[in-house]
Amino acid sequence: MPKVRSFVNWARNVRSVPSGWCQIRREEDIVACVQKARREGLCVKALGSRHSWSAVAAPKDVGLEMHDYAGLVAMDREAGRITVRSGTRLRDLNRLLDQAGLALPILGSVTAQTIAGATATGTHGSSLAHGPLSSLIEEMRVVDGSGDIVVLGAEHPDLVGGRVHLGALGVMSTVTLRVDRAFRLEEQGGPMPWENALADLSEIARGSEYVKLWWLPHTDQVQVFRYTRTEAPITFSRAGRWADQAIINRWIFPFFLSLGRWRSEWIPAINRMLEPQYFKPFRRVGRSFDVLPLAMPPRHREMEYAVPLERAASALLAVRERIEREKWCVDFILEVRFVPKSDSWMSPSYGQDACHLGLYMADSRDRQAYFRGGEEILWEHGGRPHWGKEFDLGMGEILSRYPRWGAFRDLAKRLDPQGIFHNAFLERMFGAA
């Protein structure tokens, strides 16, 4: 018998077994697969890089492989606008834009994702001057649940609701994005005492165009990263990035994580040993898409909530106190990033400047307790989950934080009345079609 092909995400914490697969190379392929699934009463789900920790992209019946449906469709350099196919990975888009003297104004921590997946889940960088990647969308071309083409353009009343679409509205075919002229950034990093970072968090967030913080649990320093536009000569080292990804993140960092899995009580001492090696002053200049993302980290798990900016310091303190009280041994950084108020209905930063607190951890002893306890704290501080990360709270609770979720549900039902694009994640959210 032929081997059954499964869906497995990057972190290997989500699996499903679709009954079939479609290889997408043209928009017509999307239409044909959707129409066939509709006739047969099946559900379809477009797949990108599988880089979500949640089950948002896990196909129920038929998976659409989008990696061959990629590339540039149109570019208007003067207007600062491009149109790309939905399966285009961010790392490839960055190179295409750079060749034309253009750049995305915001990027997240990694660039393996497709543009469709990154916008669908509200993926973001860290800047109160720039919204998430979805905020760059000026037009979406979507294959709806009937297999028809729907264009949500700048004048379309549903575009603002559809930017963070969760895969519920259809299969994105192409997307038109606002872009900037290519630019360089000076990245400066350095440690700051925990107490100072906590006291000045709002000022730090507003002090640079791009800024983020890392805290390694069981230590007393926070590393602050600030990014400023510059015309200074490039000092970014591609060899250094290769070493980070191919040596440090593939071999050295995983070695210490394995020690923690073997003897979790060693984790606090390992963190204190590693902290001065990573949390130290540095400066470099590079193209925006070289310095904003990171080298791909070792495999790990992620949970992330967006809390109102004014409550972020209190939430951070509560997480630290809970770690110390429960004696959890946490082997990964806690990341602090900032996103401005959004008008996208399902954006975690809808209606408020937000601080995204990312709780990360390898699969060692205390991960489940850390994520469960951290989620309780972030929820109590007004948090909303990142759709592409892990969360366990009931969907009814979560959706109570989204004033326009009913309007989004109605939009999804209008574009997909039979629930062709449903999977377990969306059924948990909206109920069965």
Side-chain angles (χ1 to χ4, degrees):
M1 293 181 63
K3 184 178 179 181
V4 176
R5 184 178 166 206
S6 300
F7 165 89
V8 183
N9 69 337
W10 177 81
R12 299 177 182 167
N13 67 306
V14 176
R15 296 174 183 267
S16 70
V17 184
S19 58
W21 296 86
C22 288
Q23 195 72 35
I24 305 301
R25 294 183 174 87
R26 306 172 304 158
E27 185 178 69
E28 292 85 350
D29 297 336
I30 303 174
V31 171
C33 289
V34 169
Q35 290 178 343
K36 183 174 186 291
R38 184 171 181 262
R39 289 193 301 268
E40 297 176 358
L42 300 176
C43 295
V44 300
K45 184 60 61 179
L47 304 178
S49 63
R50 298 161 169 80
H51 207 265
S52 288
W53 283 261
S54 74
V56 64
K60 180 179 179 181
D61 295 320
V62 179
L64 306 187
E65 286 282 19
M66 306 295 290
H67 54 261
D68 287 336
Y69 185 65
L72 193 65
V73 175
M75 176 185 298
D76 186 336
R77 294 184 74 254
E78 295 306 313
R81 186 180 299 114
I82 61 162
T83 301
V84 295
R85 297 179 183 90
S86 58
T88 307
R89 290 182 184 252
L90 292 172
R91 64 192 180 205
D92 299 326
L93 179 55
N94 287 335
R95 288 193 287 267
L96 288 169
L97 290 174
D98 186 57
Q99 291 167 8
L102 300 171
L104 294 171
I106 189 70
L107 284 166
S109 296
V110 297
T111 55
Q113 308 100 316
T114 63
I115 188 63
T119 53
T121 55
T123 294
H124 59 91
S126 188
S127 169
L128 288 178
H130 303 281
L133 282 161
S134 57
S135 69
L136 305 177
I137 295 177
E138 296 194 344
E139 182 177 285
M140 298 166 55
R141 187 175 172 92
V142 175
V143 178
D144 71 9
S146 298
D148 296 327
I149 305 297
V150 177
V151 178
L152 305 183
E155 303 303 319
H156 199 291
D158 293 326
L159 177 64
V160 67
R163 286 189 174 118
V164 180
H165 55 86
L166 307 179
L169 307 184
V171 179
M172 180 189 284
S173 171
T174 63
V175 60
T176 299
L177 304 167
R178 173 176 50 83
V179 295
D180 281 358
R181 298 288 182 179
F183 59 100
R184 296 177 186 176
L185 288 172
E186 178 184 53
E187 179 185 15
Q188 290 185 304
M192 176 182 291
W194 163 271
E195 293 80 5
N196 294 4
L198 212 63
D200 299 335
L201 191 62
S202 292
E203 289 74 16
I204 293 171
R206 295 185 171 92
S208 300
E209 184 177 358
Y210 306 89
V211 60
K212 67 183 179 185
L213 297 86
W214 287 357
W215 173 58
L216 189 58
H218 316 296
T219 70
D220 293 317
Q221 299 284 325
V222 172
Q223 182 82 347
V224 182
F225 301 84
R226 296 180 173 92
Y227 305 79
T228 306
R229 296 194 188 221
T230 183
E231 297 296 327
I234 290 176
T235 62
F236 175 84
S237 168
R238 290 197 172 277
R241 172 57 57 86
W242 177 87
D244 282 346
Q245 186 156 310
I247 299 175
I248 295 175
N249 286 355
R250 188 173 180 183
W251 299 105
I252 298 175
F253 193 0
F255 168 74
F256 286 109
L257 294 177
S258 68
L259 286 180
R261 280 193 294 271
W262 180 46
R263 298 291 297 269
S264 59
E265 67 271 18
W266 290 358
I267 289 173
I270 291 172
N271 287 7
R272 288 190 287 270
M273 177 186 70
L274 292 177
E275 184 256 355
Q277 308 304 315
Y278 287 93
F279 288 18
K280 57 187 178 183
F282 76 93
R283 173 193 175 274
R284 63 179 179 175
V285 173
R287 295 174 296 183
S288 58
F289 65 90
D290 281 329
V291 298
L292 287 174
L294 304 170
M296 183 66 80
R299 204 175 307 277
H300 63 283
R301 306 283 287 272
E302 294 196 5
M303 185 190 73
E304 180 178 314
Y305 269 69
V307 302
L309 180 58
E310 65 274 11
R311 303 185 68 181
S314 173
L316 264 172
L317 179 60
V319 170
R320 176 170 184 166
E321 290 176 342
R322 187 77 175 270
I323 290 171
E324 293 172 351
R325 184 170 70 251
E326 302 289 347
K327 295 183 168 54
W328 293 329
C329 297
V330 181
D331 59 7
F332 237 89
I333 62 161
L334 189 157
E335 186 169 40
V336 182
R337 294 183 290 171
F338 307 98
V339 180
K341 178 170 62 176
S342 172
D343 60 358
S344 295
W345 298 346
M346 300 308 292
S347 171
S349 61
Y350 177 81
Q352 62 186 21
D353 289 344
C355 176
H356 281 249
L357 301 179
L359 279 58
Y360 311 153
M361 197 164 169
D363 261 328
S364 52
R365 183 192 68 191
D366 293 333
R367 185 194 60 78
Q368 287 186 334
Y370 176 46
F371 278 17
R372 185 168 56 249
E375 186 172 44
E376 290 173 2
I377 292 167
L378 300 181
W379 175 256
E380 290 167 359
H381 283 79
R384 297 169 176 156
H386 187 310
W387 298 113
K389 307 293 178 74
E390 298 180 49
F391 57 92
D392 290 324
L393 284 174
M395 193 60 72
E397 294 175 281
I398 289 167
L399 292 177
S400 70
R401 294 268 161 92
Y402 288 87
R404 300 303 307 278
W405 89 267
F408 181 81
R409 178 194 56 193
D410 293 343
L411 174 60
K413 287 184 175 180
R414 192 161 73 248
L415 293 181
D416 182 25
Q418 293 182 236
I420 297 295
F421 305 112
H422 274 207
N423 60 359
F425 182 93
L426 289 177
E427 287 175 357
R428 176 185 166 206
M429 178 173 173
F430 297 117

